[in-house]
Amino acid sequence: VTCGGLCPGLNDVVQNIVYTLRDYGVPEDNILGIRYGLRGFYERDAKPITLTRAMVDGIHLKGGTMLGTSRGGANVKEIVKRIDLWGLNMVFVVGGNGGNAAANAIAEECEAQGVVCSVVGVPKSIDNDILLIDRCFGFETAVEEAQRALLAAKVEAMSARNGLGLVKLMGRQSGFIAMQASMASGVVDACLIPETPFRVDKLCALVARAFERKGHAVVCVAEGAGQDILNDGSSGTDASGNPILKDIGPFLKNEFKKHFKGDADIKYIDPTYMIRAIPTTSNDRVYCKVLGQGAVHGAFAGYTDCTVGLINTHYVYLPIPTIIQAPRKVNPKGRRWNRLLTAIDQPDLS
């Protein structure tokens, strides 16, 4: 079952779970794909499909997920009832912090109900914000595609007098994509992430200096940046338990318009859904294969309530409760963030 938002590599993981199960000798008609996230366990209009080797052949060449996905919908008691009814003894949950939390709840409910089933997670987060994991699948692909948006913003900005390219990337609570894409592209003048506060007046002053120096500027902002500035007292969470954010992109665009009073040609780019929907790059494709195989090996070894991932270059199994305690974040005093600040000559904007 695939849960949460789209991410490059979902089909790759599904394909390799099926291939590895077949390699273990599991009959094809015993492998089920749950449709449209966890609600597919119990909603009548989303019946499970049988996953055969022929059916998953070539799906890694497409973006998205062949199973469909959704946020939330984890009625754990109903799910465990279906697991027992259908005689499932392995459940593979491909999801982020919310999906893994649901997998943890399913594993605990199975134990409480005496249902024998291995529940194994595969950590999916395009934001790369799963605790302890070196990198989540799809992250490298996302950085590659995000870089294209930044390079397009650079071309737009260079082609106008006082051109300003403003690009909003994913990153609710963690700015890994914005940081990595800014570092890789080499065209960004300011990178704003949720972990480091900034002041709008200082940001405008930085852009003004860039205009004086070279006639244009590029600003990269993660979607979770500047929420303290936008906070109007109303907040909440979505169906996956993620904080609902105010939209920083249009806000910054309007602030720049006000500050430069029409003397800046601003181009705003939000490539979020274009990035989420693409197939994986070669490195991510190999990584997905290893994770899919590892999940099945773990289940056949008898592990449950665990997830598979890369830690310090080693593939390991981790207890799910360990990785869902909090999101992984960029360390503002760490080497990676400070390498970026040095590379783009970004001053303290707080």
Side-chain angles (χ1 to χ4, degrees), residues 42-55:
Y42 51 83
E43 286 199 349
R44 291 184 179 182
D45 60 347
K47 291 181 179 175
I49 56 173
T50 303
L51 296 176
T52 64
R53 200 177 176 95
M55 185 180 281

Side-chain angles (χ1 to χ4, degrees), residues 154 157 160-165 187-190 202-219 260 344-345 347:
K154 174 75 169 178
R161 179 182 170 276
N162 286 349
L164 172 56
V187 301
V188 171
D189 296 288
K202 286 192 174 184
L203 177 62
C204 290
L206 184 151
V207 171
R209 290 196 297 274
F211 284 168
E212 289 171 16
R213 192 173 70 253
K214 55 183 181 177
H216 65 275
V218 176
V219 175
F260 292 106
I344 66 176
D345 195 24

Side-chain angles (χ1 to χ4, degrees), residues 5 13 16 35 37 51 88 112 122 151 153 199 215 221 268 287 321-322:
V13 173
N16 284 282
R35 304 302 311 278
L51 296 176
L88 304 180
V122 180
L151 296 174
R199 280 174 40 189
V221 56
Y268 174 55
Y287 188 34
T322 303

Side-chain angles (χ1 to χ4, degrees), residues 149-167:
L150 291 172
L151 296 174
K154 174 75 169 178
V155 171
E156 286 284 357
M158 286 174 66
S159 303
R161 179 182 170 276
N162 286 349
L164 172 56
L166 175 61
V167 180

Side-chain angles (χ1 to χ4, degrees), residues 117-176:
C117 179
S118 282
V119 182
V120 181
V122 180
K124 168 208 69 95
S125 171
I126 203 166
D127 293 352
N128 202 35
D129 63 353
I130 305 282
L131 207 59
L132 301 176
I133 307 288
D134 284 2
R135 70 180 166 91
C136 297
F137 73 82
F139 173 68
E140 198 170 284
T141 304
V143 169
E144 193 66 37
E145 194 68 14
Q147 192 185 199
R148 295 178 197 271
L150 291 172
L151 296 174
K154 174 75 169 178
V155 171
E156 286 284 357
M158 286 174 66
S159 303
R161 179 182 170 276
N162 286 349
L164 172 56
L166 175 61
V167 180
K168 185 182 81 171
L169 297 175
M170 293 84 74
R172 271 196 196 88
Q173 295 162 284
S174 310
F176 287 104

Side-chain angles (χ1 to χ4, degrees), residues 227-273:
Q227 293 301 303
D228 54 326
I229 300 170
L230 295 171
N231 189 10
D232 58 5
S234 65
S235 62
T237 56
D238 63 17
S240 295
N242 300 308
I244 296 171
L245 303 174
K246 304 291 186 295
D247 200 341
I248 187 68
F251 169 79
L252 283 180
K253 182 181 177 183
N254 290 333
E255 289 298 311
F256 286 135
K257 276 183 177 176
K258 280 193 281 184
H259 181 85
F260 292 106
K261 298 180 174 61
D263 197 31
D265 192 338
I266 303 166
K267 297 293 191 298
Y268 174 55
I269 301 172
D270 180 355
T272 302
Y273 292 105

Side-chain angles (χ1 to χ4, degrees), residues 262-321:
D263 197 31
D265 192 338
I266 303 166
K267 297 293 191 298
Y268 174 55
I269 301 172
D270 180 355
T272 302
Y273 292 105
M274 293 172 69
I275 294 171
R276 287 183 183 277
I278 61 171
T280 47
T281 55
S282 54
N283 264 2
D284 263 334
R285 192 160 287 163
V286 172
Y287 188 34
C288 289
K289 281 181 167 59
V290 178
L291 293 178
Q293 291 173 6
V296 176
H297 294 325
F300 269 97
Y303 294 132
T304 189
D305 202 7
C306 71
T307 195
V308 59
L310 188 67
I311 295 186
N312 197 21
T313 71
H314 291 78
Y315 291 97
V316 299
Y317 297 108
L318 286 166
I320 291 177

